[in-house]
Amino acid sequence: RLPTMKKLLSLIALLSAALQVSTAPPTCYSRVLSLSKEITESFKELQTSKAVDSCVKTLPRLYLDIHNYCVLAKLRDFVAYPGCDTVLEVNELKEKARSLYTILISYCRRDLVFLTDDCNALEIPVLPPTEWS
């Protein structure tokens, strides 16, 4: 009975150590990357949703590339867009965009490197080969 208890305690200790290693805190970069992807996907879903108000079709395009310096202006424009204030999904999306903007200019300001400042690239995104249809 005692060897079984030792094995069980050893297994628990091993699993605890593995959990601590795999749950490292997110870096600024990983947080910004995941939030930008989440916002872009939410915007795509909002655009294709049948239940959403027609004003959603007038929203500025929201494709985000955090490696492009123009993403800051894109986020500002989207958050400041005056339409669709009555649509809950749009307000939630604007709040996420506002959070991303704040993270980019405040918390991660020194951690990020912008590789380009091509604003047109945010208007007509080039899709990776896996997203081509």
Side-chain angles (χ1 to χ4, degrees), residues 65-81:
D65 176 2
I66 62 163
H67 303 103
N68 187 333
Y69 184 74
C70 293
V71 74
L72 297 173
K74 176 65 81 175
L75 288 167
R76 277 193 313 267
D77 291 347
F78 186 80
V79 169
Y81 187 77

Side-chain angles (χ1 to χ4, degrees), residues 2-58:
L2 192 55
T4 306
M5 186 61 113
K6 283 185 179 181
K7 286 181 184 179
L8 182 60
L9 288 175
S10 296
L11 181 61
I12 290 172
L14 181 65
L15 289 174
S16 296
L19 265 176
Q20 288 176 353
V21 169
S22 67
T23 59
T27 63
C28 248
Y29 178 75
S30 66
R31 177 66 183 131
V32 165
L33 189 61
S34 68
L35 186 54
S36 68
K37 286 180 181 179
E38 180 182 330
I39 291 169
T40 300
E41 288 303 313
S42 294
F43 180 75
K44 285 180 190 175
E45 290 172 12
L46 189 61
Q47 289 286 306
T48 59
S49 174
K50 303 279 189 251
V52 177
D53 195 284
S54 63
C55 74
V56 170
K57 301 294 181 200
T58 66

